């Protein structure tokens, strides 16, 4: 039979082993708890990111919808103006068909072409296919194609108002279209003389006529080459 001292030693040993086992269990529990906390935190972060992403997507969708609505409203305004200057819905529709046909063979946007048609017609000038094609051919070699195209439209508008100054010609010169040289050669006049000549309705009309013919001779098929270059982007 074990003595009292032996029993005490045995109990201490068993207690020590039990304490050690409990310590191990506690450490495991703490570790598990920490892992659970980390996992929970990761889930919270993921959900928070998802909420932010959804909010951003919703916001982007809202902005896109707003942008589309703005573009649609702007185009409706252009269509209304087109109807007005071309004498009604039938005239506006016919003009729009011409605009679509023209835009399909040039790098210009339908909105830009529509504005040009409206500007010319409102000034009393019929935007013929021949005129628009000539402007597009010349603009295709310019440094700023759309800027050059708009400048030619404004030049015709100014001439229709009864006066054409050297400033309008210089806008084309600066974009790489030699408008001043074309008219100087055709009329045999200096730069300053052109400015004076264009101040009358008859003189400005003659200048536009000669400029269009000069552009046609100088850039007969320039648009075809430009559209070939753009073909890979269509």
């Amino acid at each position: 039979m074990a003595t009292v001292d032996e029993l005490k030693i045995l109990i201490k040993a068993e207690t020590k082993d039990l304490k050690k086992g409990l310590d191990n269990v506690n450490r495991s529990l703490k570790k598990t708890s920490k892992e659970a906390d980390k996992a929970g935190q990761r889930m919270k972060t993921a959900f928070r990111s998802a909420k932010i992403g959804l909010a951003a997507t919703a916001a982007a969708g809202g902005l896109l919808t707003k942008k589309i609505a703005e573009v649609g409203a702007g185009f409706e305004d252009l269509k209304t103006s087109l109807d007005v200057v071309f004498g009604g819905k039938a005239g506006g529709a016919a003009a729009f068909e011409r605009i679509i046909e023209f835009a399909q063979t040039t790098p210009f946007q339908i909105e830009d072409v529509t504005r040009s048609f409206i500007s010319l017609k409102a000034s009393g000038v019929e935007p013929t296919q021949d005129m628009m094609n000539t402007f597009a051919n010349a603009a295709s070699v310019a440094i700023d194609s759309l800027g050059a195209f708009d400048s030619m439209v404004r030049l015709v508008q100014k001439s229709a108002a009864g006066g054409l100054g050297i400033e309008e010609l210089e806008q084309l010169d600066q974009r790489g279209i030699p408008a001043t040289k074309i008219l100087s050669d055709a009329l045999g006049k200096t730069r300053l003389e052109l400015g004076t000549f264009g101040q009358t309705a008859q003189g400005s009309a003659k200048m536009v006529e000669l400029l269009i013919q000069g552009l046609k001779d100088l850039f007969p098929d320039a648009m075809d080459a430009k559209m070939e270059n753009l073909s890979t982007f269509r």
Side-chain angles (χ1 to χ4, degrees):
M1 180 181 295
T3 63
V4 174
D5 290 336
E6 289 174 339
L7 287 172
K8 287 180 178 180
I9 293 171
L10 182 61
I11 290 171
K12 284 182 179 180
E14 293 294 332
T15 302
K16 183 178 179 182
D17 290 339
L18 178 60
K19 186 175 182 300
K20 183 177 180 182
L22 288 173
D23 288 342
N24 288 336
V25 170
N26 285 332
R27 279 195 296 270
S28 296
L29 288 174
K30 286 180 180 179
K31 183 177 180 182
T32 302
S33 178
K34 287 180 179 179
E35 291 296 328
D37 289 342
K38 289 179 180 178
Q41 189 61 41
R42 285 195 295 270
M43 289 181 67
K44 287 180 181 179
T45 301
F47 278 121
R48 189 160 52 245
S49 298
K51 286 176 69 177
I52 292 172
L54 287 172
T57 300
L63 289 173
L64 180 60
T65 301
K66 181 180 179 182
K67 186 64 177 176
I68 290 173
E70 289 173 352
V71 170
F75 195 79
E76 283 297 316
D77 290 342
L78 286 176
K79 186 63 172 63
T80 299
S81 297
L82 199 66
D83 292 344
V84 170
V85 298
F86 279 90
K89 291 187 178 296
F96 192 64
E97 287 296 322
R98 291 164 53 200
I99 288 169
I100 294 294
E101 182 181 354
F102 177 74
Q104 287 176 341
T105 59
T106 72
F108 305 121
Q109 300 296 318
I110 292 175
E111 292 86 349
D112 297 324
V113 179
T114 302
R115 290 189 184 92
S116 297
F117 267 64
I118 292 170
S119 297
L120 289 170
K121 189 66 174 180
S123 300
V125 178
E126 182 64 32
T128 65
Q129 193 73 15
D130 182 65
M131 176 193 291
M132 301 304 281
N133 283 338
T134 299
F135 288 172
N137 275 321
S140 67
V141 302
I143 298 169
D144 171 15
S145 294
L146 180 57
F149 186 80
D150 289 341
S151 292
M152 283 181 274
V153 169
R154 286 195 297 271
L155 183 147
V156 174
Q157 281 182 278
K158 189 70 180 289
S159 71
L164 183 60
I166 196 65
E167 294 83 4
E168 288 74 33
L169 300 178
E170 287 179 340
Q171 288 180 6
L172 293 178
D173 293 340
Q174 290 166 4
R175 288 180 167 86
I177 300 175
T180 301
K181 185 177 187 307
I182 290 173
L183 291 176
S184 291
D185 292 346
L187 291 169
K189 296 183 180 297
T190 66
R191 177 178 174 277
L192 292 177
E193 288 172 339
L194 288 175
T196 303
F197 186 78
Q199 293 309 303
T200 65
Q202 184 178 2
S204 61
K206 186 64 176 179
M207 287 173 70
V208 169
E209 178 188 343
L210 292 173
L211 179 61
I212 289 176
Q213 185 57 54
L215 293 174
K216 196 181 299 184
D217 293 340
L218 197 58
F219 310 111
D221 302 308
M223 182 56 63
D224 293 339
K226 182 67 173 285
M227 292 304 290
E228 284 297 320
N229 292 339
L230 292 173
S231 62
T232 55
F233 299 99
R234 293 201 301 268

